[in-house]
Amino acid sequence: GIQVEQSPPDLILQEGANSTLRCNFSDSVNNLQWFHQNPWGQLINLFYIPSGTKQNGRLSATTVATERYSLLYISSSQTTDSGVYFCAVEGGSSNTGKLIFGQGTTLQVKP
Amino acid sequence: NAGVTQTPKFRVLKTGQSMTLLCAQDMNHEYMYWYRQDPGMGLRLIHYSVGEGTTAKGEVPDGYNVSRLKKQNFLLGLESAAPSQTSVYFCASSYWDWSSRTEKLFFGSGTQLSVL
């Protein structure tokens, strides 16, 4: 099956710094999403981005499907950005939301 | 509008006991999912459903059964719990938003299950 690798596994930032999280996947995808899991365990969908670029406030994401990677950019980080960021993909031609998750990047933003 | 609600939030079982986790959504979504999350790992799909009366296996279905008798409910059953099933279980539902051409996924708050 499709493999998803995220890097770095852990990241510590000072408040105000920028960061880039990477997601590599092993096969073509028709569904790629980024999620944030806050320190209390709640999962929130950030982006649905199987290709192209999207921005939402301080967050933006880019997926280069032909090269099988996606990047999540966090600018001017805040302590509330702390948590785990997951990339998840669905391969093949189906679009049932049957997502395969990476192991995540744990981000800690220090005040 | 409560979104996705999971019950219970916490449960402790002894090896061999059975239990059912309930997931309810009030958003009229067709698709529903059960995931498990183990420490230091991402979520792994157990089973999913693309509509009322349908279920399908995910990545790690062994030891679990599911049912989707009503569109709003998706039940996850453990017939004979094992310590390896100690995990946090998340339910989710999703729909395709044609206006933005995106899939929108909503998660419940999770169930912490310990099997002793």
Side-chain angles (χ1 to χ4, degrees):
Chain A
I2 194 166
Q3 305 295 316
V4 182
E5 293 184 2
Q6 292 185 240
S7 59
D10 301 283
L11 188 58
I12 300 174
L13 299 175
Q14 287 297 132
E15 201 167 24
N18 302 328
S19 62
T20 301
L21 283 58
R22 186 176 180 101
C23 172
N24 292 331
F25 42 96
S26 60
D27 205 346
S28 60
V29 299
N30 60 357
N31 185 347
L32 187 148
Q33 302 189 39
W34 283 96
F35 297 89
H36 176 226
Q37 186 172 38
N38 67 23
W40 298 271
Q42 184 63 38
L43 283 150
I44 301 295
N45 180 286
L46 297 175
F47 293 103
Y48 170 88
I49 187 164
S51 63
T53 297
K54 289 185 178 179
Q55 182 159 4
N56 185 0
R58 295 181 297 104
L59 302 182
S60 63
T62 296
T63 297
V64 183
T66 53
E67 297 187 21
R68 299 182 182 169
Y69 72 89
S70 183
L71 302 174
L72 178 69
Y73 304 97
I74 304 174
S75 64
S76 304
S77 58
Q78 301 176 357
T79 57
T80 52
D81 295 330
S82 296
V84 185
Y85 290 81
F86 291 106
C87 168
V89 306
E90 180 176 11
S93 58
S94 64
N95 203 335
T96 58
K98 186 180 169 184
L99 295 170
I100 304 298
F101 279 71
Q103 293 195 336
T105 292
T106 300
L107 174 64
Q108 182 182 0
V109 180
K110 294 187 173 183
Chain B
N1 189 335
V4 179
T5 303
Q6 292 182 229
T7 53
K9 295 189 183 304
F10 303 93
R11 187 72 185 268
V12 178
L13 292 178
K14 294 181 180 178
T15 297
Q17 287 184 318
S18 64
M19 77 162 294
T20 300
L21 305 182
L22 171 63
C23 178
Q25 52 98 2
D26 61 0
M27 298 173 283
N28 203 34
H29 292 168
E30 291 291 340
Y31 292 5
M32 296 187 74
Y33 317 86
W34 276 107
Y35 287 91
R36 62 177 286 173
Q37 184 178 26
D38 300 303
M41 298 182 67
L43 281 71
R44 291 184 292 170
L45 184 63
I46 304 171
H47 286 279
Y48 66 103
S49 168
V50 300
E52 180 179 312
T54 73
T55 62
K57 294 180 179 180
E59 294 176 83
V60 289
D62 294 342
Y64 304 94
N65 56 76
V66 288
S67 64
R68 184 106 182 262
L69 299 180
K70 294 183 178 181
K71 186 176 184 178
Q72 64 268 33
N73 295 336
F74 195 28
L75 278 64
L76 178 71
L78 286 72
E79 291 185 349
S80 180
S84 60
Q85 294 177 304
T86 294
S87 189
V88 180
Y89 292 84
F90 287 95
C91 175
S93 69
S94 72
Y95 77 102
W96 178 258
D97 183 353
W98 286 101
S99 63
S100 62
R101 299 188 63 79
T102 62
E103 181 188 37
K104 295 189 182 296
L105 197 68
F106 298 84
F107 281 91
S109 57
T111 296
Q112 174 70 62
L113 175 66
S114 296
V115 182
L116 306 178

